[in-house]
Amino acid sequence: MKGEVVVEKVNSSEWEIGYNAMTDKYENLLETGVIDPAKVTRCAIQNASSVAGMFHTTQAIVVEKPQA
């Protein structure tokens, strides 16, 4: 499946419809359990606090240099 085709189909669909790559179907990703809003929010907060804590304790940050 080409990415451009998937993006175009999802953009023209209702907001809750997305592409499930495991089943190769366009479906409501909330109802099928692919997207769990509570888990997404929890993981985002957990990851952000982890990074903030690391930066605060070390007062330094290491990142990858972008490829030119």
Side-chain angles (χ1 to χ4, degrees):
M1 177 81 44
K2 292 191 176 219
E4 310 88 50
V5 175
V6 172
V7 169
E8 185 61 35
K9 174 84 172 170
V10 170
N11 282 340
S12 64
S13 300
E14 296 293 323
W15 73 270
E16 68 271 1
I17 301 300
Y19 178 68
N20 186 343
M22 288 186 71
T23 62
D24 195 33
K25 294 180 183 176
Y26 295 93
E27 55 194 3
N28 185 324
L29 299 179
L30 291 171
E31 287 180 359
T32 57
V34 174
I35 297 176
D36 180 0
K39 185 176 181 182
V40 170
T41 303
R42 181 186 56 80
C43 288
I45 292 171
Q46 192 172 23
N47 291 336
S49 63
S50 175
V51 170
M54 181 73 71
F55 183 68
H56 182 68
T57 57
T58 62
Q59 296 182 354
I61 190 166
V62 177
V63 295
E64 289 185 22
K65 183 177 179 180
Q67 298 288 330

